[in-house]
Amino acid sequence: MNKYLVIGNPIAHSLSPLLHNYWFKKYRFLDSIYEKKKVEKKDLKKIVERIKNDEVKGVNVTVPFKREIFNFIDTAPYEVQFTKSVNTLVKENDKVVGYNTDQQGFEISLEENDWDCKDKKILIIGAGGVTPSILSTFIKVDGAEKIYLSNRTRSKAEELKKLWDKALGIYQMKKDTIEVIDWEKKSELCDLIINTTSVGLTKDEKLNFDFSDYNNKKDVLFYDLIYNPKETNFLKDARIRGNRTMNGKMMFLWQAHLAFKMWTGVSPTIDEEVIKLLD
Ligand SMILES: NC(=O)c1ccc[n+]([C@@H]2O[C@H](COP(=O)([O-])OP(=O)(O)OC[C@H]3O[C@@H](n4cnc5c(N)ncnc54)[C@H](OP(=O)(O)O)[C@@H]3O)[C@@H](O)[C@H]2O)c1
């Protein structure tokens, strides 16, 4: 049996097993199974060893271990060495390689909505394991006009800024493109506001930002990376204000698509059936 895992804590919300097992069945990988496993920090080394020993074939890493797992892998592509954010593990030539499919998953989800970041102002809430993938999407030639970062632990947002400030020149972006603002403080009005925190995974949780300036701003997109629950309070409030909303479902599907392809060589179709499967 080829075993695959998604590891994290909490992990109950993860729909990865549902999705990957659906694709395993559809593409006739009948000797493959994908499970979720709640782990602690102390278990990460052992998980990597299990891949090395061929006990586990592939692993997805979710909240809060995307950064921590970097310390245990053998190697990673350049962009992952830069961000130190890993969401997919696979064994290649006897080495456990850490990849990240979140960035591409997120980018595709925006492209599917014809959303282009050129000259746009963006507020990114959070500075956890997934946030580097989100931030890097907007740092490119013809990238964002301004990126505000706000995290409960401000120093983590400062670290991200410090890292990416080095890259701005390469893409002819202004030195002050990235600005860290205090937690829950107002920024100037933005075109896109993204919740990259885990606040909302539990139904009653709520961020306390004052978004009243966005009332009836129909073109402003509020994007929550969380896909389960489907509508967090962050998105519900935005819908009531009259803003555009998007949850993390399409990003989730695309990051999974890329991981599945890496593990099996098969490029699984993202169609209505699979989109409905997650509802
Ligand atoms: N749709 C997708 O495909 C996809 C992919 C990846 C991640 N996600 C989602 O993105 C979220 C973050 O994932 P992650 O891996 O970055 O998690 P993480 O590394 O654990 O980071 C958690 C982030 O949430 C903040 N946070 C947690 N509890 C908070 C609270 N009570 N108040 C304020 N801030 C709080 C943390 O702030 P501090 O730094 O102050 O602790 C940190 O910024 C999760 O909900 C995950 O499910 C979705």
Side-chain angles (χ1 to χ4, degrees), residues 13 63-64 66 102 126-130 151-153 156 183 196-199 201 225-227 248 251-252 255:
H13 68 280
V63 41
K66 284 178 197 273
D102 283 335
V130 73
N151 191 50
R152 178 180 62 175
T153 310
K156 287 204 217 163
W183 181 239
T196 78
T197 75
S198 44
V199 178
L201 277 180
L225 299 195
I226 294 172
Y227 59 88
M251 171 183 173
F252 170 71
Q255 64 74 31

Side-chain angles (χ1 to χ4, degrees), residues 101-216:
T101 64
D102 283 335
Q103 192 280 327
Q104 241 186 304
F106 177 68
E107 192 161 347
I108 297 171
S109 75
L110 284 179
E111 282 166 7
E112 283 180 327
N113 278 271
D114 294 325
W115 203 92
D116 182 0
C117 68
K118 187 173 183 304
D119 299 332
K120 298 281 193 342
K121 293 176 182 145
I122 295 160
L123 168 61
I124 298 177
I125 303 169
V130 73
T131 315
S133 302
I134 306 307
L135 182 55
S136 61
T137 304
F138 305 119
I139 297 176
K140 56 185 183 186
V141 174
D142 290 335
E145 162 79 20
K146 184 86 189 175
I147 303 166
Y148 294 98
L149 279 180
S150 179
N151 191 50
R152 178 180 62 175
T153 310
R154 187 183 162 112
S155 58
K156 287 204 217 163
E158 300 278 8
E159 275 169 41
L160 281 186
K161 172 180 161 56
K162 207 165 137 193
L163 189 64
W164 261 271
D165 273 353
K166 291 184 214 152
L168 294 174
I170 301 169
Y171 302 108
Q172 290 103 47
M173 294 178 81
K174 286 184 288 176
K175 271 193 206 148
D176 63 350
T177 299
I178 305 170
E179 185 176 330
V180 175
I181 57 170
D182 283 343
W183 181 239
E184 291 170 347
K185 284 279 153 59
K186 276 190 188 180
S187 67
E188 66 176 317
L189 275 191
C190 288
D191 305 284
L192 171 65
I193 293 94
I194 312 163
N195 176 29
T196 78
T197 75
S198 44
V199 178
L201 277 180
T202 308
K203 242 198 167 344
D204 296 332
E205 284 178 324
K206 201 173 163 68
L207 292 166
N208 286 316
F209 282 73
D210 175 4
F211 290 125
S212 53
D213 293 349
Y214 290 90
N215 283 343
N216 301 316

